[in-house]
């Protein structure tokens, strides 16, 4: 257990408070939900916009974490906004749903869950600070900040002056990528390379797919309606299981949309969580079912003996929570980069390993100076190095980096790092004190050891899409929810491990994104959704909590959304992401600016958790990765005559 000596009191009415306490308990803390004597607690978790927070924040005796809807400087501060209202106000709701339909409410309390995960990580950081430096401090976490942190795939368009449209189950830059009907249900199919498209086209054997309209990726994206219709002429001839098996055989990410009530029958869930599956099968889903699913697993890194750990490395005057911690990150896109970004914001020295040509996401548009806004948002404050791990000299350089590292985090396909010579046992021999976190779609021990996974597939197979509907059809959460939540789970597990006394041995942390998605979906299903709906206005939509009268519905159609929201109780406007850049609260409390090595300014996001005395900071955008020069090969020696028998 990582936080076994920690005593926690959770006394706020928000779901985020309850879930944060559950996470801390999973990491070994003892948790109470009713105070007997507050002096007995190390940490108190509250939600001051829902409940009275007493004088705990002013006591200076406890680490007090206050989870609220908006920050204290926000003009809307103090109002107990719900998760659905924050989804609407933050732009999250507008990104979810089909392109020609209305915005859809996300079927899980995404901002509450995200706030719980970030709060747990921030608390673990504060515990580390208290243990090492004796500093006790308050923490503020906002649902609005968590919502904004999930918009990294949509904010780049806003930074470039464009509006990011809803895409339903499609991908704005890849095709085919969608949910397709099968003979007995739905399947998500996601291609990301030309090789995957070629194999899928050959397997489908639909002659029209050879048409010139689909030759290049740009062609396919430009004719995506016709493309999807043709793909579905193939998938509808197959059972979902058969179609999934074909895609797995050819290396294309695919998976069924699993109903939450059928989650216990999903092969990987049943394999990894047999007790939870049996309970769901026998009793259905209730408010405690989610607690049967763990979002991370820990074990010893290896059997290698551990030597005493050197004193923590600190830069002069650096009081950041993770000052002196060294991190190696090997990963692309969202999940592992999100972990590295937050570890860096908390003060760790993070070295990101990129392939020789740099991470693919660097070149996505829009951006500036040859680097994408997406990459900048996910990789602040890191040192970047280009290594080709197929070459022994570059693997040797990585081994050198690992010898002095505290943390390794990666989101490669399970077994990929081991094939390069970095098994758990090898890593333990290189550095017995290492905290190694592996993030994957289905986990190390999986029913699908060869199946690739993308965020969309995990949303489908973890129950998230079944809970999120648009006009009755399952739709993925617009934000990359499975990637983001998986990264947040890894962040908490890593920081909780770093909060332990330094003499502890190396640790292996395993994160399965499907486990995390299922945990979230089961919590939502056990709680049940509150009533509410989106209504169309002259210039967009509003979200209304509860029931809606015909009079209110008629009134909305004739008014702009801001005016309509003000005239109806429990209504808020559904904001587009680009509209946030004109919102004074968003600009003051969420958006920030960083600089790169050339002095150029970049729009970035503040972290959604604020530690009062040792704050996390977002400061810099990395430049091009440093190229590690390999030593030239040794000159060939003159051949030595072979020894021959006389």
């Amino acid at each position: 257990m990582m936080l076994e000596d920690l005593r926690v009191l959770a006394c706020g009415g928000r779901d985020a408070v309850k879930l944060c306490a559950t996470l801390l308990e999973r990491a070994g803390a003892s948790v109470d939900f009713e105070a007997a004597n507050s002096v007995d607690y190390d940490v108190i978790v509250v939600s001051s916009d829902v409940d009275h927070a007493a004088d705990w924040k002013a006591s200076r005796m406890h680490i007090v974490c206050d989870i609220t809807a908006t920050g204290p400087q926000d003009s809307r501060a103090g109002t107990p906004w719900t998760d659905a209202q924050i989804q609407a106000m933050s732009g999250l709701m507008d990104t979810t749903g089909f392109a020609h339909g209305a915005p859809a409410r996300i079927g899980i309390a995404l901002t509450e869950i995200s706030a719980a995960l970030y709060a747990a990580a921030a608390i673990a950081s504060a515990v580390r600070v208290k243990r090492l430096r004796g500093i006790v401090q308050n923490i503020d976490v906002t649902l609005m900040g968590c919502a904004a942190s999930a918009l990294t795939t949509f904010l780049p368009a806003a930074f470039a002056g464009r509006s990011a449209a809803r895409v339903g189950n499609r991908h704005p830059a890849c095709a085919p990528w969608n949910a397709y009907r099968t003979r007995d249900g739905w399947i998500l199919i996601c291609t990301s390379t030309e090789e995957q498209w070629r194999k899928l086209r050959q397997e489908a054997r639909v002659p029209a797919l050879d048409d010139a309209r689909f030759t290049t990726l740009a062609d396919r994206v430009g004719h995506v309606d016709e493309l999807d219709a043709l793909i579905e002429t193939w998938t509808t001839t197959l059972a979902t299981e058969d179609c999934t098996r074909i895609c797995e055989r050819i290396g294309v990410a695919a998976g069924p949309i699993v109903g939450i009530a059928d989650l216990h029958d999903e092969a990987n869930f049943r394999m990894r969580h047999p007790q939870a599956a049996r309970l769901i099968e026998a009793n259905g889903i209730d408010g405690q079912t989610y607690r049967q699913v763990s979002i991370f697993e820990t074990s010893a890194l290896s059997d290698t003996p551990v030597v005493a750990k050197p004193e923590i490395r600190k830069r002069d005057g650096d009081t950041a929570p993770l000052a002196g911690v060294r991190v190696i990150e090997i990963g692309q896109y969202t999940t592992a980069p999100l972990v590295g970004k937050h570890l860096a914001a908390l003060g760790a020295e993070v070295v990101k390993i990129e392939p020789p040509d740099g991470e693919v996401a660097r070149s996505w548009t829009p951006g500036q100076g040859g680097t994408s806004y997406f990459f900048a948002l996910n990789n602040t404050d890191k040192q970047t190095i280009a290594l080709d791990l197929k070459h022994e000299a570059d693997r040797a350089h990585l081994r050198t980096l690992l010898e002095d590292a505290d943390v390794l985090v990666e989101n490669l396909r399970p077994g990929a790092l081991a094939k390069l010579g970095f098994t758990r046992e090898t890593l333990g021999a290189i550095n017995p004190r290492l905290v190694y976190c592996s993030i994957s779609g289905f986990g190390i021990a999986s029913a699908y050891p060869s199946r690739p996974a993308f965020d969309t597939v995990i949303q489908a197979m973890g129950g998230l899409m079944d809970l999120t509907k648009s006009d009755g059809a399952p739709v993925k959460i617009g934000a990359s929810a499975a990637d983001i939540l998986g990264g947040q789970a890894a962040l908490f597990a890593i920081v909780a491990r770093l909060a332990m006394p330094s003499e502890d041995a190396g640790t292996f942390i395993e994160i399965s994104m499907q486990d995390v998605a299922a945990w979230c979906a089961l919590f939502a299903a056990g709680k049940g959704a509150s009533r509410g709906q989106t209504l169309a206005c002259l210039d967009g939509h509003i979200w209304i909590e509860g029931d809606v009268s015909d009079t209110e519905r008629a009134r909305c159609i004739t008014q702009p959304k801001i005016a309509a929201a003000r005239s109806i109780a429990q209504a808020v406007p559904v904001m587009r992401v680009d509209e946030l850049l004109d919102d004074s609260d968003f600009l003051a409390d969420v958006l920030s600016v960083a600089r790169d090595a050339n002095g150029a300014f970049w729009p970035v996001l503040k972290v959604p958790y604020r530690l009062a005395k040792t704050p996390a900071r977002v400061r810099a955008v990395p430049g091009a990765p440093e190229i590690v020069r390999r030593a030239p090969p040794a000159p060939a020696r003159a051949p030595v005559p072979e020894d021959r028998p006389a």
Side-chain angles (χ1 to χ4, degrees), residues 68 132 155 177 194 346 459 500 547 593 604:
T68 56
L132 293 177
L155 280 167
W177 185 303
E194 290 301 310
L346 288 163
Q459 285 199 40
M500 293 174 64
D547 298 322
V593 65
V604 293

Side-chain angles (χ1 to χ4, degrees), residues 88 91-98 100-106 166 469-471 533-536 540-543 574-576:
L92 270 180
M93 189 177 289
D94 192 64
T95 65
T96 301
F98 295 108
H100 303 296
R105 177 179 62 178
I106 296 168
R166 290 183 294 278
K469 300 285 179 62
S470 181
D471 295 328
Q533 59 185 286
T534 54
L535 294 184
H541 294 81
I542 63 172
W543 167 262
V574 178
M575 302 296 288
R576 298 194 314 270

Side-chain angles (χ1 to χ4, degrees), residues 605-620:
L605 298 175
K606 298 175 184 176
V607 296
Y609 46 89
R610 311 291 161 82
L611 289 87
K613 297 181 181 179
T614 60
R617 292 188 172 94
V618 178
R619 293 153 293 192

Side-chain angles (χ1 to χ4, degrees), residues 586-612:
F586 184 86
L587 295 175
D589 205 42
V590 176
L591 200 64
S592 185
V593 65
R595 300 182 76 172
D596 63 20
N598 298 319
F601 289 95
W602 292 78
V604 293
L605 298 175
K606 298 175 184 176
V607 296
Y609 46 89
R610 311 291 161 82
L611 289 87

Side-chain angles (χ1 to χ4, degrees), residues 43-282:
V43 175
I44 300 175
V45 190
V46 298
S47 50
S48 64
D49 59 354
V50 174
D51 304 279
H52 181 54
D55 297 321
W56 286 319
K57 293 183 77 172
S59 71
R60 301 181 182 179
M61 297 174 58
H62 320 279
I63 296 169
V64 179
C65 182
D66 189 6
I67 305 175
T68 56
T70 59
Q73 307 305 318
D74 194 293
S75 64
R76 300 158 294 194
T79 302
W81 303 105
T82 67
D83 170 81
Q85 288 171 326
I86 294 295
Q87 286 186 34
M89 294 157 56
S90 67
L92 270 180
M93 189 177 289
D94 192 64
T95 65
T96 301
F98 295 108
H100 303 296
R105 177 179 62 178
I106 296 168
I108 62 171
L110 180 60
T111 69
E112 297 270 4
I113 294 169
S114 181
L117 285 158
Y118 278 132
I123 289 168
S125 299
V127 169
R128 176 183 168 86
V129 171
K130 181 182 177 182
R131 177 174 64 81
L132 293 177
R133 304 186 183 98
I135 298 173
V136 177
Q137 60 189 314
N138 295 333
I139 303 166
D140 286 291
V141 179
T142 67
L143 272 61
M144 182 64 78
C146 293
S149 295
L151 293 172
T152 51
T153 54
F154 294 92
L155 280 167
F159 294 156
R162 303 200 302 265
S163 176
R166 290 183 294 278
V167 294
N169 294 318
R170 286 173 171 165
H171 190 289
C174 296
W177 185 303
N178 208 344
Y180 302 93
R181 293 186 182 276
T182 63
R183 203 167 61 203
D184 57 355
W186 294 85
I187 186 171
L188 261 295
I189 297 178
C190 308
T191 63
S192 60
T193 67
E194 290 301 310
E195 178 69 8
Q196 290 171 1
W197 160 242
R198 182 185 64 78
K199 290 181 177 179
L200 186 69
R201 187 183 73 241
Q202 290 177 346
E203 193 66 41
R205 298 178 185 175
V206 177
L209 291 177
D210 295 325
D211 192 274
R213 291 172 297 170
F214 312 125
T215 302
T216 69
L217 176 58
D219 293 332
R220 295 194 295 277
V221 172
H223 297 89
V224 69
D225 289 336
E226 303 99 300
L227 175 66
D228 282 346
L230 290 169
I231 294 291
E232 202 162 77
T233 64
W234 169 61
T235 60
T236 51
T237 67
L238 298 166
T240 304
E241 184 176 350
D242 293 336
C243 192
T244 303
R245 191 178 298 112
I246 290 170
C247 289
E248 182 173 0
R249 175 171 53 79
I250 62 176
V252 171
I257 298 177
V258 177
I260 189 66
D262 300 321
L263 189 60
H264 65 281
D265 272 337
E266 200 286 314
N268 200 52
F269 181 87
R270 196 171 189 90
M271 173 184 169
R272 293 179 61 83
H273 307 285
Q275 182 177 354
R278 288 192 296 269
L279 288 173
I280 295 170
E281 189 172 22

Side-chain angles (χ1 to χ4, degrees), residues 128 131-132 305-314 321-327 348 402-408 431-436 494-507:
R128 176 183 168 86
R131 177 174 64 81
L132 293 177
V306 180
V307 297
K309 187 171 183 177
E311 289 295 317
I312 184 170
R313 304 171 291 260
K314 289 197 300 181
L322 300 185
V325 173
R326 290 179 177 167
V327 178
L402 289 168
E403 287 173 1
D404 198 33
D406 299 284
V407 177
L408 167 64
N431 183 347
R433 295 172 279 100
L434 187 69
V435 177
Y436 168 31
I494 290 169
V495 180
R497 172 60 185 80
L498 293 175
M500 293 174 64
S502 59
E503 63 269 15
D504 286 307
T507 302

